[in-house]
Amino acid sequence: MLEGVLARLVAVGRRLRRLERRELAAFGRWIQHTGNLLHLTVLVAVPLLIGLVTLISNALAELSFLLFPPLASGAYTLFSDPEGRYASPWKFTVGLVVGACCGWAALRLPVSLLADTAVVSPTSAALSIFLTGAATWLLDVEEPAAFSTALLVLVTDDASPEAYVTSVAVFGALVAGVFTLWRSWFYERRAQYLYDTAQGDDHVLVPMRGDHEAAERTALFGATLAAAHDAGKVVLLGMVDDGDLDDAGDTADDPATTRAAAERLEATARTVRTRAGVPCEVVVARGAPVPTTVQTATNANCDLVVTPYEEERGLLSPFVRGVFDSRFDAVAFRSTTGRRRWKRVLVTVARPGDTAHAMLDFAARLVGPSGTLSVCTCIDAEVERRGAESRLADLAETVDVDVETRVARSRVTEFIGANAGGYDLLVVGSSGDRSKASRFLSPPTFERLRDVDCDVAVVDRGRP
């Protein structure tokens, strides 16, 4: 009985660990959306910064709590839009100080003495806003929170405006410094920390299936992806089944078919090593295609499978679907032009996410610093354009090559049909993140692109 209880506890523990891994993977993919990352940062960074300022202000009695509102709003402006118009640490700090100085000046100018006995002089309030607007405009340090400091200095105690201005300068610089470090060391390097493909997907397994020339071009495509990383390598997988061995009269101990397959693969491996400059290994295995591919990728420590594109009755072949359903990132490559270099690449994205980042990362590896990389999304109405442009800009910032962003008001297949001929390669997603009902109602884009005048790569992120 005790053994049964322990076995059930072990099983529950295993299920909890699997659930934890799935939840962590889901969170990792959620935070890869730049918008989600910024919202989470605002929820964490701004409260921590204001808490730090509060801690210091409690130790220094002369600091006014009126310092907090402009710092909180200014910090939110910085962290919520780190590439926006007001995301300059210098302008943020100087703007706050200029606003406080203008409010201080409004208190001291003789015109303020004409005011009535109100708690806050209307003349001083109007004058402080006027001076702030004029000064920030002339100095090119426009900052919304500057108007807060300009007004709040008017309600400080008569003896403390100078201290208020000083505290605005000190703590404004503190917030700006934290933002600068966060933006430089994390946000601008978020691809390195958050996106798996930026660090991984450099050990590439290529199942050598179908036509030999198409398979060789697929191997060179995978090798080009691997070559972008110093640790890149390629593993060529040849598969033989028991029927091949029986037809050749081979035995399991010394199959001539296996040796012949290895020799063919080795010839391709030499081509890969010469053209791509990456290590290339050869593996010949027996068994069912999908399980054998997955097991070989595991044994060879590969994290990306690049397979020739295959169709069956107008749909993806069972083999490609099986690879896409595995835990490995995968690319199905269809060679239509015979190219062995891809320097003009078009990436089409439907929505932000880990698949979009993977597609852009792979494309950047292919084009390098001298190629042309375009990323496009299609919209249904003009009102969607600004949001689409912002999403594409967030994607483009995560790679180290120049990226052209394009927002087209048309159907994606129509846009591709009109523009794909100007590129060497089209990169599309596998729609693996869409529901079955959605894929039934609207077939994936790649299944409607049989006549595209360039090579096509279909990218699928692995299942956790």
Side-chain angles (χ1 to χ4, degrees):
M1 179 176 179
L2 180 60
E3 292 180 355
V5 172
L6 290 176
R8 285 195 293 272
L9 289 175
V10 171
V12 169
R14 288 174 178 171
R15 286 196 294 271
L16 289 175
R17 285 194 296 272
R18 287 197 298 270
L19 177 62
E20 180 182 12
R21 286 195 296 270
R22 286 196 298 269
E23 292 298 324
L24 287 175
F27 174 76
R29 296 191 172 185
W30 177 84
I31 204 173
Q32 289 181 7
H33 293 243
T34 300
N36 294 337
L37 171 63
L38 293 179
H39 280 114
L40 183 62
T41 300
V42 167
L43 288 176
V44 175
V46 176
L48 288 177
L49 279 173
I50 299 304
L52 175 61
V53 173
T54 304
L55 179 66
I56 298 174
S57 68
N58 289 336
L60 302 173
E62 62 272 18
L63 292 184
S64 171
F65 74 93
L66 297 175
L67 171 68
F68 301 154
L71 285 182
S73 63
Y76 175 84
T77 300
L78 289 175
F79 284 96
S80 65
D81 190 9
E83 301 293 341
R85 174 184 177 186
Y86 298 109
S88 167
W90 165 255
K91 290 185 177 182
F92 167 77
T93 306
V94 175
L96 291 182
V97 175
V98 167
C101 290
C102 289
W104 182 19
L107 280 176
R108 294 293 183 260
L109 288 176
V111 69
S112 300
L113 301 178
L114 300 177
D116 56 28
T117 59
V119 175
V120 177
S121 164
T123 306
S124 296
L127 183 59
S128 66
I129 294 299
F130 171 78
L131 293 175
T132 301
T136 55
W137 177 33
L138 291 174
L139 296 174
D140 192 25
V141 290
E142 292 174 291
E143 164 59 42
F147 295 91
S148 297
T149 58
L151 288 177
L152 290 173
V153 75
L154 303 181
V155 294
T156 56
D157 296 335
D158 291 341
S160 60
E162 297 86 350
Y164 183 79
V165 173
T166 302
S167 61
V168 165
V170 172
F171 289 105
L174 172 64
V175 171
V178 172
F179 168 75
T180 299
L181 291 175
W182 170 82
R183 185 171 66 177
S184 300
W185 292 96
F186 179 78
Y187 181 75
E188 293 179 350
R189 303 183 184 185
R190 61 191 184 280
Q192 175 182 345
Y193 302 124
L194 298 180
Y195 309 137
D196 299 336
T197 58
Q199 289 298 310
D201 288 340
D202 49 8
H203 291 181
V204 181
L205 177 72
V206 181
M208 300 292 286
R209 295 171 54 88
D211 178 74
H212 174 73
E213 290 187 2
E216 182 175 283
R217 289 193 292 268
T218 301
L220 289 171
F221 179 86
T224 305
L225 294 177
H229 290 175
D230 293 338
K233 76 169 184 179
V234 178
V235 178
L236 305 182
L237 171 62
M239 286 178 280
V240 295
D241 57 32
D242 292 335
D244 294 330
L245 298 179
D246 293 340
D247 293 341
D250 297 329
T251 66
D253 295 331
D254 185 28
T257 302
T258 301
R259 290 197 305 273
E263 290 173 358
R264 289 193 299 269
L265 291 182
E266 188 56 45
T268 302
R270 286 193 294 270
T271 301
V272 169
R273 297 185 194 108
T274 301
R275 289 182 174 269
V278 294
C280 187
E281 303 172 2
V282 168
V283 174
V284 178
R286 296 170 54 189
V290 173
T292 300
T293 299
V294 173
Q295 187 60 48
T296 303
T298 302
N299 295 341
N301 194 31
C302 293
D303 44 20
L304 174 65
V305 178
V306 176
T307 181
Y309 184 88
E310 299 176 3
E311 284 190 358
E312 186 174 294
R313 298 178 181 177
L315 302 175
L316 283 180
S317 71
F319 173 77
V320 176
R321 289 202 305 271
V323 172
F324 279 3
D325 288 336
S326 73
R327 67 181 181 87
F328 294 98
D329 292 348
V331 178
F333 176 70
R334 187 179 73 189
S335 174
T336 59
T337 64
R339 294 183 183 276
R340 302 191 176 206
R341 297 183 66 189
W342 301 267
K343 287 299 183 180
R344 297 173 299 165
V345 178
L346 174 64
V347 179
T348 61
V349 298
R351 62 190 67 82
D354 57 331
T355 299
H357 288 293
M359 293 159 61
L360 202 60
D361 175 60
F362 292 153
R365 297 191 202 184
L366 294 170
V367 302
S370 60
T372 300
L373 173 55
S374 299
V375 57
C376 166
T377 192
C378 293
I379 57 176
D380 297 321
E382 196 63 28
V383 70
E384 303 172 9
R385 181 172 298 277
R386 181 168 296 181
E389 290 174 345
S390 177
R391 291 191 296 272
L392 291 186
D394 289 338
L395 284 172
E397 292 168 1
T398 63
V399 294
D400 294 329
V401 300
D402 292 335
V403 180
E404 174 198 25
T405 60
R406 304 180 65 176
V407 177
R409 186 178 174 183
S410 68
R411 295 180 180 274
V412 63
T413 50
E414 294 174 355
F415 175 84
I416 291 173
N419 293 274
Y423 295 89
D424 302 332
L425 175 72
L426 169 67
V427 181
V428 298
S430 69
S431 76
D433 55 349
R434 291 172 53 190
S435 67
K436 292 182 178 179
S438 173
R439 291 196 295 271
F440 175 77
L441 294 174
S442 177
T445 299
F446 65 85
E447 292 183 354
R448 295 175 281 168
L449 300 178
R450 295 179 178 86
D451 299 324
V452 171
D453 295 329
C454 67
D455 295 346
V456 178
V458 183
V459 177
D460 183 85
R461 293 306 309 273
R463 308 296 184 264

